[in-house]
Structures are given as C-alpha cells and as structure tokens.
Amino acid sequence: MDEHKVETEHTSQVESQSSKKKAPLNKYALACALLASTNSILLGYDIGVMSGAVLFIKDNLKISSSQVEILVGSLNVCSLIGSFASGKTSDMIGRRYTIILAAATFLIGAVLMGLAPSYPFLMAGRVVAGIGVGYSLMIAPVYTAEVSPAMTRGLLTSLPEVFINVGILLGYIFNYALAGLPAHINWRLMLGIAAVPAIGIGIGVLQMPESPRWLVMKGRIEEAKRVLRKTSENDDEANLRLEEITKAASLVGPSPSDSTGSIPSKWKGQGVWKELLRPSRPLRRILVAAIGINFFMQASGNDAVVYYTPSVFNAAGIHNRKGLVGVTILMGIAKTSFCIVSALFLDNFGRRPMLLLGTTGMAVSLAGLGLGSMYLHNSHHKPLWAIALCVVAVCADVSFFSIGLGPITWVYSSEIFPIRLRAQGSSLAVSVNRLVSGVVAMTFLTISKKITFAGMFFVLCGIMVLATIFFYFFLPETKGKSLEEIWVIFENKKDKTPSQPDKEMTERL
C-alpha cells in the first residue's frame, strides 16, 4: 500500500492559505450538497412515519409484536444489500446516477407499501425501499465529501443527516395529521406519500454535476476541472485541487498491471476488495475507525428509540394515541434543531470534540431515561415528574445523538478513505451500520420485555461509555484537511499540521 501514501506540497499551500482566513461557503458546492442530501429525507421520513404507522398497522392487519419488529427492522436489514452494492455501483456508473437509482428504488418501495393489501405485500415493499435506503446512505455523504472544499466539508457532509432529521420530523407531523383517518387508510397514506418527494428528488439530481474525483478516476480531467472551478474560491485553488487529486489518482488508481502510472479511463473499481480484505497498517486503522464509528452509531439504539418511542411513552403512562404522536413531534424538533447546530459548528470545533460531547451526553441521558423508566415500571402510580424525566431524557438522548454520532458518522466515514477505496470502503462501513441497525430494531422490544425498558436503556448507556473510550483512542481529528491529505494522519498515527509534510513520503514522491 506504499502507493497510497499521498502528500503534496500543493495540499499544504491550499490548507495553509485557508487557515489564515475563514473560507467562505461556496454556493455551488452548497447547492450540490443540498440536492444530494435531499435523498436522505426519504429515509428520515420512513423512520419517523413508521413509528406512528405501526400502531395502526398492528390493529388493521392484526399482526403480532414479533411481526412488528420484523416489519420495522427489515428496512435496515435490507438496506444492507443496497449499501453493500452501492460502492461498486457508484464506481461503475458514477455518484450522480447512483443517487438517482437510490431515489427510484425507494419510490417503487413506497408505492408498494402504500398499496399493500396484506402483511406479506407490505414486507415486499419494505424490502425494496430498504435497498434504496442502503444506496442513499452511502452515496450522499461520499458525493458531498468529494465535491466540497476542505474547510467547509464538515458542514456540507453533515447535510444528509440534517435531512434525515427533517424527514423524521415530517414523518411525525404526517402521523399526527393522518392519525384521525380510518385505520385501513391512514397508515397506507403515511407510507405511500413518500413516493411524491422521491420523484422530485430524482429529477433534481439530474441537474447536479458529477463528482470531480470520480471524473478524475475515469480520466475525464477537463470535466473535473470545470466542476472544481465552480466549487472553489478561485481558479488557482481549483488548479491546486485538481493537481492534488490527479496525483493521488495516478498513484492509487491504476490496476497492478498498469505500469505507466497513468489514470485508467476504464477504471470501474476493480481490485478494491482485495486491498480492503488484506489492508496495510494505515488502511487497517482507517477500517477500524470507519467500521467502529458506524457500529456505535447504531449500537447506541437511537433508531430503535425513535421507532419505538410511542411504546416507551405508552409504558411511561401516556396512553392517548394523539398524545403519543404529539410527544414524538417534540422529540423530532429537538433532534432536528441540534443536528443543524452540529452541522454549523462542526468545521469550527472539529469532529472529535463534538463526537465525544455527543456520546458522553447520550450516556448521561440514557442513564436518566433508565432511572425514570425503572421507577415507572415498579410503581402502580405514574407520577408526573417521572413521566417528565423520561420525556426530557429521550429528547436529550436524540439531541446529543444529533450533535455527535448522527452527522459525524457520515462525515468521518466518507472522508477518511483514499480516493480509489472511498466508495467501496464507505459501503463496507455503512453495511455494518445497516446490519447493526437492523439487529437492534428487530430485537429491541423482545429484549426490553425480558429486562424491561429500564434495563435496555442501562445497557445502551454502557455501550455509549465504551463508544466514548473508543473514539478517544482510535479517531484522529480530520478538520480542515483535504481528502488526499487525511491518509497521512492515519499513516503516522497522529495528526500532523499541513505545514509539516511527511519527509519520508516526500522522498517517495
């Protein structure tokens, strides 16, 4: 993997110049990031709307709690298929068309779910939608990271998570608005209405440019140059970025049989899995960091808490259906608000501080939620203070998630892989994300019945303590670094400033 060790003087020039003054937010890069991230609304909407829809699906289709768990968790398990395939797909057809494929697949799934006459038909739609979600979760952050300038990459790559939270909030709102309709109609409208934005997203993405880094890997230098000029502050910065990307691609792009060192125009991602399965030491550190942060994101139980919030609050003493859905709207507002705050400050404070703040806050919140739930479980009366503690603790838990693990997982895992391995490496990490999410969602109620909701929340609290320790030791800071420079951080096991290039690397180049 010596060929992956990329450090250029041009990177240092760009970064040192950027560090002297705060880089302005490039409007074209922002527009690209917004268009790519809108796909994430579909996933968020499904998470939010399903939390209320399952209440009516269970009554209307007469399904058991186990079937509810399978229905809810199946989207995450099936998204494993999409996320695993998305890396190779995006290397072959490009980032932009992969985003369109994700929206189209989710569209089909939403229509199937909205028209479902039975549980098996509903599950079929869930499977299709899950594949689309898997594609979207990987490709939106990767595309955004590859288009964004280094100094604003944290903000722009956080947008998919912001849009997931906006989608969750919209799902809660539609739950509340449609809950009064007959039970055989309301949940079908809740699920099927997602087809409308999917159509708009597919059309909107056609206006986006392709990722400049993918274009360079395909040998389409002039097209990449045009995109970089639009996403850079000036032509000099665009030329420096292009030279940096081209050098990285020429070193890591060719197949082993290509002795010329030129960029392979017919490159389609071949040979990547061989390197991922037999990684060098720096790549192994990257894999540990990427897989670890994706594992803990879902092991935190956040998705399950969102899905099953009505059940949690029902156990806490809130029994009115409208009241249950109304409380989830409050949680959705808190979750979305703090995700926006995180995105705005991520490039100022850095990935590590906000990630450690988020996991520490989640651990405290889950401990409070466990205490409140334990008191309510052991009490015949449902005191208002205990119910209030649970509501506040849930809102705090999802808020701290939105500060740390929520947005930073997508930012971090999409930026640390070197150019040739980025798409398929990210797809591997997101596949772990989806697998753990599915397992947690499909076992949350069953385990909670065995050890109570309080016991479950204490377990999740312990997991967040472990996550905080892991992030402290294994995740270096990447704020302000170009994508091509981040490799050096993992190569040297420490964060070097851009003005101190690695001498050994410079000699190799």
Side-chain angles (χ1 to χ4, degrees):
M1 283 290 291
D2 286 343
E3 67 271 82
H4 285 300
K5 298 177 179 178
V6 179
E7 170 75 311
T8 72
E9 295 176 359
H10 298 291
T11 303
S12 300
Q13 294 174 25
V14 173
E15 299 300 339
S16 61
Q17 290 171 5
S18 300
S19 62
K20 293 178 182 177
K21 60 178 182 177
K22 184 175 176 61
L25 183 60
N26 183 280
K27 293 180 180 179
Y28 189 81
L30 175 62
C32 292
L34 286 171
L35 279 173
S37 302
T38 50
N39 221 16
S40 301
I41 288 181
L42 301 177
L43 169 61
Y45 179 82
D46 183 272
I47 292 174
V49 83
M50 185 56 77
S51 68
V54 291
L55 299 174
F56 305 102
I57 293 172
K58 186 174 182 180
D59 292 342
N60 182 232
L61 298 183
K62 309 300 181 185
I63 59 177
S64 65
S65 296
S66 297
Q67 287 176 307
V68 169
E69 282 186 317
I70 294 172
L71 177 66
V72 171
S74 61
L75 181 126
N76 297 314
V77 173
C78 294
S79 66
L80 175 65
I81 301 170
S83 60
F84 198 74
S86 59
K88 184 69 172 179
T89 302
S90 66
D91 280 340
M92 293 179 66
I93 68 174
R95 313 317 194 207
R96 186 174 63 142
Y97 285 114
T98 303
I99 295 174
I100 296 173
L101 177 62
T105 307
F106 191 92
L107 166 64
I108 296 171
V111 171
L112 290 175
M113 288 190 291
L115 299 176
S118 62
Y119 180 75
F121 203 102
L122 181 60
M123 281 297 301
R126 198 81 172 143
V127 169
V128 176
I131 295 173
V133 164
Y135 271 97
S136 177
L137 282 175
M138 191 289 293
I139 195 58
V142 167
Y143 172 85
T144 305
E146 292 189 339
V147 170
S148 304
M151 300 306 292
T152 55
R153 190 177 61 246
L155 167 62
L156 298 181
T157 314
S158 297
L159 290 178
E161 179 66 16
V162 173
F163 277 83
I164 287 176
N165 284 281
V166 170
I168 290 174
L169 181 56
L170 288 174
Y172 290 155
I173 292 172
F174 274 95
N175 274 341
Y176 189 82
L178 300 174
L181 296 176
H184 67 286
I185 295 176
N186 55 13
W187 66 264
R188 289 184 170 86
L189 285 176
M190 291 174 184
L191 299 177
I193 204 169
V196 177
I199 296 173
I201 290 168
I203 296 173
V205 171
L206 288 172
Q207 310 304 315
M208 290 166 36
E210 184 51 83
S211 158
R213 287 173 169 85
W214 182 81
L215 291 171
V216 169
M217 290 300 295
K218 299 294 286 185
R220 293 156 62 176
I221 305 299
E222 288 302 316
E223 293 179 59
K225 185 183 297 183
R226 288 195 291 270
V227 178
L228 287 171
R229 282 176 177 168
K230 293 180 179 179
T231 58
S232 300
E233 190 174 348
N234 51 56
D235 286 349
D236 289 339
E237 181 185 338
N239 290 333
L240 287 173
R241 289 175 67 191
L242 178 63
E243 188 171 347
E244 172 187 284
I245 295 168
T246 303
K247 182 176 288 188
S250 67
L251 287 172
V252 303
S255 63
S257 61
D258 188 350
S259 61
T260 65
S262 60
I263 300 172
S265 60
K266 295 184 178 180
W267 182 80
K268 295 182 179 179
Q270 60 271 25
V272 171
W273 277 103
K274 182 179 179 180
E275 295 181 42
L276 292 175
L277 294 176
R278 299 181 63 182
S280 64
R281 183 172 295 179
L283 181 56
R284 186 159 54 246
R285 296 188 189 113
I286 289 175
L287 286 169
V288 168
I291 292 174
I293 193 171
N294 276 275
F295 170 83
F296 281 113
M297 178 188 186
Q298 297 303 336
S300 69
N302 185 265
D303 279 6
V305 169
V306 173
Y307 276 129
Y308 299 118
T309 292
S311 298
V312 174
F313 288 149
N314 185 58
I318 303 175
H319 301 296
N320 179 268
R321 287 282 174 88
K322 279 264 186 177
L324 288 172
V325 177
V327 172
T328 60
I329 292 178
L330 177 64
M331 183 181 71
I333 292 172
K335 188 173 172 63
T336 305
S337 300
F338 279 94
C339 188
I340 294 172
V341 170
S342 176
L344 291 174
F345 289 99
L346 189 54
D347 287 310
N348 293 327
F349 294 116
R351 283 55 159 161
R352 274 172 56 88
M354 298 193 71
L355 188 60
L356 294 173
L357 171 64
T359 51
T360 302
M362 288 183 71
V364 174
S365 301
L366 287 165
L369 182 57
L371 288 172
S373 299
M374 182 172 64
Y375 186 90
L376 289 168
H377 178 76
N378 296 323
S379 174
H380 294 292
H381 304 288
K382 305 294 183 182
L384 184 61
W385 70 264
I387 295 175
L389 175 61
C390 288
V391 173
V392 170
V394 166
C395 290
D397 177 53
V398 298
S399 297
F400 279 112
F401 178 85
S402 294
I403 288 174
L405 273 170
I408 295 174
T409 297
W410 308 120
V411 174
Y412 205 84
S413 56
S414 65
E415 68 184 3
I416 60 177
F417 285 97
I419 183 170
R420 181 169 176 264
L421 310 179
R422 184 167 298 121
Q424 296 184 56
S426 296
S427 75
L428 174 62
V430 175
S431 296
V432 173
N433 183 300
R434 294 294 86 201
L435 178 61
V436 178
S437 178
V439 170
V440 172
M442 296 175 74
T443 59
F444 185 85
L445 289 181
T446 300
I447 296 176
S448 296
K449 286 180 180 178
K450 298 288 184 180
I451 64 174
T452 73
F453 279 122
M456 189 66 178
F457 294 135
F458 285 131
V459 169
L460 295 178
C461 172
I463 292 173
M464 285 299 92
V465 172
L466 293 176
T468 304
I469 297 171
F470 175 85
F471 297 149
Y472 182 83
F473 286 104
F474 292 100
L475 269 68
E477 183 57 70
T478 58
K479 179 187 74 171
K481 303 293 190 295
S482 72
L483 294 180
E484 285 65 40
E485 187 182 11
I486 288 174
W487 171 266
V488 180
I489 301 174
F490 286 90
E491 179 191 49
N492 294 302
K493 296 181 67 174
K494 62 182 179 180
D495 188 350
K496 289 190 174 184
T497 61
S499 59
Q500 297 175 317
D502 185 78
K503 293 181 179 179
E504 185 178 336
M505 177 57 53
T506 304
E507 290 173 2
R508 287 198 183 101
L509 290 174

